[in-house]
Amino acid sequence: MSEHPRGGSAAARLARLGFADSGVAERTLAGLGVLADPAVIAALADAADPDLALRGLARLADAAPDRRELLAALRTCPEVRGRLAAVLGASAALADDLARHPGDWHVLADETLAASRPTALGLEQTLVDAVTPYGGSTAALDALRRTYRRLLLGLAARDLCAGLAVDEVAGELADLAAAALTAALAIAQAQLPPDAAPCRLAVIGMGKCGGRELNYVSDVDVVFVAEQGAAPGAAAGAGADEASALHTATSLAAGLMQACSATTAEGTLWPVDAGLRPEGRAGPLVRTLASHEAYYQRWAKTWEFQALLKARPVAGDPALGQAYAEMAGRLVWSAADRPGFVPDVQAMRRRVAATLPPQSAQRELKLGPGGLRDVEFAVQLLQLVHGRADPTLRSGSTLAALDELAAGGYVGRDDAVRLGSAYRFLRLLEHRLQLARLRRTHLLPADEPELRRLARAVGFRAEPVAELRAEHGRQAREVRRLHEKLFYRPLLTAVARLPAEQTRLSPTAARSRLEVLGFADPGAALRHLEALTAGVSRRAAIQRTLLPVMLGWFADAADPDAGLLSFRQVSEALGTTPWYLRLLRDEGAAAERLARLLATSRYVADLLARAPEAVAMLGGDAELVPRAPAALRVEFRATAGRSDDPETAMTAVRGLRRQELLRIASADVLGQLDSVQVGAALADIAGATLASALDVASRAVADRRPDGLPVRLLVVAMGRLGGREQGYSSDADVLFVHEPVGAADDVAAAAAHEVANELRRLLALPAPDPPLAVDADLRPEGRQGPLTRSLASYAAYYARWSSPWEMQALLRAAPIAGNDELAARFTELIGPVRWPDGGVDDATVREIRRIKARVEAERLPRGADPGLHIKLGRGGLADVEWVVQLLQLRHAARLPSLRTTATLPAMAAAAEAGLLDRADADVLAAAWRFAGSVRNAVLLARGRPADAVPTGGRDLAAVARAMGYPPGHSGRLLEDYRRVTRRARAVVERVFVQ
């Protein structure tokens, strides 16, 4: 046995190089006379399967009549050596073919092999020339197969050695298939009887053949179309009736299919599948052009139009084939107008995926999740929807179409790159997998050696199997993610619902559509459209896709003109921000949400105009969920602490507040929050703002005073803030409490007063966001009393001077910011005041009733309709709250369940305790909720607060739409409000005087 110069046997060296059976390899190499040739051994070792490559080489050498020439070329010519090793190591089928026809190795020695790519016409001529001498005989079939395999051998060598792109290989395979079909048609024509009626026959490539993305081994999908006409070689003017012509055409089509699929001594090519024809296998094999068109117009299903997208003439009569392609194009690019088209395509993909056996689904390259079909279905659906109006999207090739979609702005460039890369990787796996045995398969091997061979064939060498599994898993996940994102994009369904002529609006068509949609000023709206879509930039291209759909969404809301104007302002403010239009195009219902918000809510539109980047939160439901109070406070206070300048710190805090207000308002308009949830969320935002403002104000005052800050401070929420029932326009009603820390009372009081004033000043600074006015008028003695008091002062005041209205106000007192220990002591202090032992006496009850009557008489604005004033009107917010608060004052001392600052929980506790009839409680709760919703909707719709329900016109319509009433039903809002509050007022009048 030969020894390696550096030690170790040749077998050991071969084992290190990757030969599995190194002993056999050593003997085989020795028999070939190349055991000492490192170049030959290195080439074989570099093959996908070194042992397979060596066995194939030995069989070829044994069969070759020019063995010496072969071995000489192997030793001296790097190109021949590399091509032979690569082909033999990657394809057992081609190795078998070379062993049967050893002279074909010269194909791999052709000096022009790598330099030039054969043309479709050249391939056709080669195959037709090969079969012509044999007419319609079996020899013609053998010649077709042998010539086809030689051409396939050359392509495989260039694929494996010259680094051809996967789409180049697929395109050449499709051209080779088309050439084979032409040659097969020539064989079929030679088999016709002399008296056959003349006809014209065109062969239409479908599927991967039509799209020029064929695999090494695929069924070749075709459709046949025929017409009356002169047969080849017939005299001019010869003709036949249609039935006779179709009979001849059917014989030709059947002969063509047989010529390709029949098994001879040279094997078979591939099946020709005509199952995509009208009516499938139950329909006639051949139809006329008119019959095809009639079927598609009347009977075709959605999937048949999807299949037509790739239709391409590949053989036969070129003029007839072109006529078919033009007919198919007219049908394909109007198919998305069909009702339910997009859901039909989506459902079809789900049905296909559901048929896969679970045990093999993850190994399925074609149909499995994250497989080739996921890419193809997504691309085709985008083409079919957007290609109606954009002719640049009509390629039959998946990768070319993906590039076109990216260029037109229909798919993000990064998404297109990732999807294209994944598709190429999966197609490469498919090619290498099929090349191994020239069998039609899409299933990754479960066998470890076969998987290793496949991994090496696609370039993984260090840990081939592990690397292949990891990369396949990564690419499949990426495909699935992008498939879900693109294939189920809500915008697709919306675009498909538009007539094709409306998906790309000319100025005339745009003005007409704007008028139909109900835009009050179509001229101004048209100027906004032109500003957004002018030019050739990518932004303009995406806007041209979005706006035809968004116009309908604007029109579904209360004020489409304002919505479009606001959309233009937001779009211009975000400028070239890369994520903005991508979000609207790709992510869920963001575009529809934005259109609805801008055309429904002036409040939201104003917030977005000031913080357009907040559009990002419309991408998913999770972004519109109110944030937890603790999380808000942490972020707000951390933000405030990043700046030493008080005004800068509060500007940052108010920016956060603006964003959180937008979150809540958007969720409110979109129907994701009810009025109770809105009130709690707004109170939490106010609480975080006040806590941050107290931090900043305390720090600022401490920095100014030589003694620092000799006081502990507490901010107590009152009113709607204390009850966590805040409205969008509610003030922050508060009390300020302090306690000296190592300082005299007057010094501590002065410091506390300075902090409270600084807090109010900072929150009152001009800023581009809704203000948070701090109102301390509910403090002892009202505006005449000191802004802040010590805990001891509060105790003294409430013990001696507390009036009924102050007791009532304290029912909603809840510490919201400041010292926790002081908060606990203040809460303990006011307990007996707001929940007095034995309840309030009769005199206090009479005083509360008197105050309520006075409020109704004096505080209702002059001329206001008492039935429509949301806060003070009959059955409104105050009516319900007075009833609940009186019950609390009378019974909370003995019923702990009534000790809550929130209206609805207190009302529920009163009903549970029998203090309030359950039916009455339901009536009051319904009125309170409805009134709160109307009050919020007024501000959301108009952008400014009001306490009265609008009585008509655009304001009423806008408020009604903000509350979810359908168009034209704004009058129902007034009817509902009057009915609900009238019933509540009846309960109030009966219960409040008991």
Side-chain angles (χ1 to χ4, degrees):
M1 181 177 293
S2 301
E3 296 294 328
H4 189 267
R6 295 177 59 187
S9 67
R13 177 166 59 93
L14 292 172
R16 288 195 297 271
L17 288 173
F19 289 87
D21 194 336
S22 56
V24 171
E26 181 185 11
R27 291 191 294 275
T28 305
L29 288 166
L32 291 169
V34 294
L35 183 59
D37 191 323
V40 173
I41 293 174
L44 293 168
D46 195 48
D49 185 335
D51 296 274
L52 179 66
L54 181 54
R55 286 197 300 274
L57 179 61
R59 292 172 62 205
L60 172 60
D62 288 345
D66 51 355
R67 175 187 176 99
R68 289 185 178 180
E69 183 183 353
L70 167 66
L71 294 177
L74 185 70
R75 287 190 292 268
T76 61
C77 181
E79 289 80 10
V80 173
R81 183 168 57 241
R83 291 167 189 167
L84 265 174
V87 168
L88 294 171
S91 177
L94 288 177
D96 290 344
D97 203 61
L98 278 170
R100 284 196 305 273
H101 303 290
D104 287 354
W105 75 266
H106 290 281
V107 170
L108 305 181
D110 187 344
E111 294 180 356
T112 66
L113 185 65
S116 61
R117 177 186 178 279
T119 65
L121 189 60
L123 292 170
E124 180 180 309
Q125 192 63 54
T126 300
L127 285 169
V128 170
D129 288 348
V131 303
T132 299
Y134 305 106
S137 67
T138 302
L141 302 184
D142 288 339
L144 174 60
R145 283 148 180 72
R146 282 204 59 187
T147 308
Y148 179 90
R149 294 258 168 69
R150 278 198 296 271
L151 293 169
L152 189 68
L153 175 64
L155 172 58
R158 287 186 290 113
D159 181 12
L160 292 166
C161 299
L164 296 187
V166 71
D167 43 335
E168 290 182 275
V169 175
E172 189 169 329
L173 284 166
D175 291 343
L176 184 53
L181 290 171
T182 299
L185 182 58
I187 294 172
Q189 287 171 334
Q191 294 171 341
L192 286 177
D195 60 346
C199 71
R200 298 165 61 208
L201 177 70
V203 184
I204 310 299
M206 306 288 282
K208 291 186 178 299
C209 178
R212 296 191 73 252
E213 46 191 15
L214 205 62
N215 301 326
Y216 272 100
V217 185
S218 286
D219 289 356
V220 174
D221 294 307
V222 299
V223 166
F224 298 104
V225 58
E227 294 290 345
Q228 296 169 264
D241 62 81
E242 184 176 282
S244 299
L246 285 177
H247 178 76
T248 300
T250 301
S251 296
L252 284 173
L256 177 152
M257 295 173 70
Q258 178 69 12
C260 293
S261 60
T263 301
T264 73
E266 292 294 337
T268 184
L269 288 184
W270 17 253
V272 176
D273 189 344
L276 293 178
R277 66 186 184 267
E279 300 180 77
R281 302 189 188 283
L285 183 62
V286 180
R287 289 176 182 258
T288 64
L289 184 62
S291 177
H292 275 283
E293 185 167 12
Y295 171 85
Y296 285 119
Q297 289 179 338
R298 187 170 184 183
W299 302 110
K301 297 180 176 61
T302 296
W303 70 264
E304 293 178 278
F305 292 105
Q306 187 177 354
L308 280 178
L309 189 153
K310 293 182 178 293
R312 175 178 67 96
V314 293
D317 189 293
L320 181 56
Q322 183 58 34
Y324 182 95
E326 291 171 0
M327 177 275 295
R330 290 192 300 272
L331 296 168
V332 166
W333 303 115
S334 61
D337 294 334
R338 295 159 59 96
F341 176 83
V342 171
D344 280 354
V345 176
Q346 293 170 338
M348 181 165 57
R349 175 63 187 124
R350 288 193 293 269
R351 285 195 299 272
V352 170
T355 63
L356 293 175
Q359 64 271 21
S360 62
Q362 299 304 317
R363 295 192 291 121
E364 174 62 60
L365 292 173
K366 180 178 178 181
L367 302 178
L372 293 163
R373 277 290 187 269
D374 272 354
V375 181
E376 291 161 358
F377 264 72
V379 170
Q380 289 166 22
L381 184 55
L382 287 165
Q383 284 183 277
L384 289 165
V385 170
H386 296 297
R388 295 176 300 163
D390 189 344
T392 67
L393 305 180
R394 297 179 179 179
S395 172
S397 162
T398 300
L399 290 170
L402 185 58
D403 289 343
E404 292 163 359
L405 288 163
Y410 304 95
V411 173
R413 283 173 291 200
D414 288 346
D415 287 349
V417 168
R418 291 190 180 96
L419 201 59
S421 175
Y423 187 73
R424 288 182 174 90
F425 174 75
L426 294 173
R427 290 300 308 273
L428 179 62
L429 277 181
E430 184 183 46
H431 281 182
R432 297 293 186 266
L433 184 61
Q434 294 185 350
L435 187 59
R437 291 182 174 81
L438 289 183
R439 291 178 185 169
R440 183 173 179 267
T441 179
H442 310 283
L443 196 65
L444 288 176
D447 179 71
E448 193 87 1
E450 289 190 22
L451 196 59
R452 184 175 188 276
R453 180 189 307 158
L454 176 63
R456 285 175 58 86
V458 297
F460 296 114
R461 295 304 168 95
E463 296 288 340
V465 173
E467 291 175 52
L468 173 59
R469 284 174 172 157
E471 184 64 10
H472 174 245
R474 186 184 73 80
Q475 297 284 15
R477 287 190 297 273
E478 186 72 354
V479 166
R480 194 61 186 172
R481 180 185 72 82
L482 292 170
H483 171 79
E484 295 285 346
K485 175 180 176 179
L486 300 175
F487 193 60
Y488 296 102
R489 180 188 288 174
L491 188 64
L492 274 175
T493 303
V495 173
R497 291 195 188 109
L498 292 176
E501 65 273 10
Q502 292 184 10
T503 62
R504 282 290 188 274
L505 297 179
S506 65
T508 302
R511 179 180 285 275
S512 174
R513 184 161 185 240
L514 291 167
E515 291 172 352
V516 170
L517 288 173
F519 281 78
D521 188 348
L526 187 59
R527 289 192 293 274
H528 298 324
L529 292 179
E530 290 170 347
L532 289 165
T533 61
V536 295
S537 68
R538 187 175 181 78
R539 282 187 299 151
I542 298 175
Q543 290 281 22
R544 286 192 288 270
T545 302
L546 290 169
L547 279 165
V549 178
M550 294 187 73
L551 289 178
W553 291 331
F554 289 131
D556 285 341
D559 194 344
D561 296 82
L564 181 55
L565 171 60
S566 296
F567 179 71
R568 176 182 175 182
Q569 292 169 340
V570 169
S571 296
E572 290 176 346
L574 288 170
T576 57
T577 305
W579 55 263
Y580 168 59
L581 291 175
R582 184 170 66 235
L583 170 79
L584 300 187
R585 182 192 59 204
D586 296 344
E587 298 297 334
E592 184 175 4
R593 284 175 168 173
L594 180 61
R596 181 177 169 187
L597 289 169
L598 294 176
T600 299
S601 174
R602 171 51 52 189
Y603 183 79
V604 170
D606 288 345
L607 287 174
L608 275 174
R610 295 164 186 151
E613 67 281 355
V615 169
M617 71 175 61
L618 301 180
D621 289 347
E623 290 296 320
L624 297 179
V625 175
R627 298 178 62 196
L632 286 174
R633 291 190 176 226
V634 168
E635 183 177 5
F636 276 47
R637 297 179 77 174
T639 299
R642 293 191 187 107
S643 176
D644 293 331
D645 177 67
E647 295 186 4
T648 302
M650 284 313 299
T651 297
V653 168
R654 290 174 67 168
L656 289 178
R657 176 175 176 265
R658 183 190 315 127
Q659 179 169 307
E660 296 307 317
L661 289 175
L662 179 58
R663 188 190 312 277
I664 303 309
S666 298
D668 191 357
V669 173
L670 296 172
Q672 296 184 8
L673 299 176
D674 61 28
S675 60
V676 175
Q677 293 169 314
V678 169
L682 292 174
D684 293 339
I685 296 168
T689 306
L690 287 169
S692 302
L694 181 61
D695 288 347
V696 174
S698 298
R699 195 165 60 242
V701 171
D703 290 343
R704 292 198 294 262
R705 295 175 62 90
D707 56 348
L709 194 62
V711 67
R712 284 195 291 265
L713 289 149
L714 172 68
V715 181
V716 180
M718 304 289 285
R720 306 190 73 79
L721 180 58
R724 294 186 78 230
E725 298 163 349
Q726 195 85 334
Y728 291 104
S729 59
S730 298
D731 292 345
D733 292 314
V734 301
L735 301 178
F736 292 104
V737 186
H738 69 266
E739 187 171 64
V741 178
D745 288 350
D746 59 336
V747 173
H753 187 274
E754 193 175 348
V755 171
N757 268 335
E758 178 69 0
L759 180 149
R760 295 203 298 177
R761 182 188 76 83
L762 290 170
L763 288 174
L765 290 171
D769 53 65
L772 180 63
V774 177
D775 188 342
D777 290 352
L778 292 177
R779 65 186 183 268
E781 302 179 75
R783 295 181 182 177
Q784 306 305 314
L787 180 60
T788 176
R789 289 175 180 263
S790 68
L791 187 64
S793 176
Y794 275 105
Y797 177 86
Y798 288 134
R800 186 171 183 184
W801 304 108
S802 179
S803 61
W805 75 264
E806 289 174 310
M807 299 168 60
Q808 188 176 353
L810 286 174
L811 287 171
R812 292 178 140 191
I816 198 169
N819 184 268
D820 291 340
E821 190 267 338
L822 187 56
R825 289 163 56 204
F826 179 83
T827 302
E828 183 180 4
L829 166 67
I830 64 173
V833 181
R834 56 181 170 177
W835 307 319
D837 287 341
V840 291
D841 56 27
D842 291 344
T844 301
V845 172
R846 286 194 296 273
E847 175 63 11
I848 290 171
R849 290 171 178 159
R850 185 191 69 79
I851 294 172
K852 184 179 186 303
R854 182 180 173 186
V855 167
E856 288 185 5
E858 297 179 3
R859 294 186 60 189
L860 198 67
R862 185 185 300 274
D865 182 347
L868 294 177
H869 198 276
I870 301 168
K871 181 178 180 181
L872 302 176
R874 293 190 290 267
L877 294 170
D879 255 6
V880 177
E881 290 164 2
W882 281 80
V883 169
V884 173
Q885 289 163 16
L886 181 56
L887 291 172
Q888 288 179 289
L889 287 169
R890 299 177 76 173
H891 303 287
R894 67 180 181 84
L895 293 173
S897 60
L898 286 172
R899 299 174 193 171
T900 173
T901 61
T903 301
L904 291 181
M907 189 186 303
E912 182 69 25
L915 305 176
L916 188 62
D917 184 81
R918 287 192 180 276
D920 288 344
D922 290 342
V923 168
L924 293 176
W928 190 84
R929 287 176 180 272
F930 194 72
S933 296
V934 174
R935 193 183 197 196
N936 284 340
V938 169
L939 181 130
L940 288 170
R942 300 172 59 191
R944 59 184 186 278
D947 280 324
V949 184
T951 56
R954 297 184 68 176
D955 281 350
L956 177 61
V959 173
R961 294 309 308 280
M963 291 189 66
Y965 284 86
H969 290 72
S970 54
R972 277 178 47 197
L973 170 59
L974 282 176
E975 295 171 9
D976 291 345
Y977 186 84
R978 291 184 188 278
R979 183 183 67 256
V980 169
T981 54
R982 185 169 56 247
R983 294 177 64 196
R985 181 67 175 193
V987 174
V988 171
E989 290 178 345
R990 178 163 34 83
V991 173
F992 191 70
V993 297
Q994 288 180 353

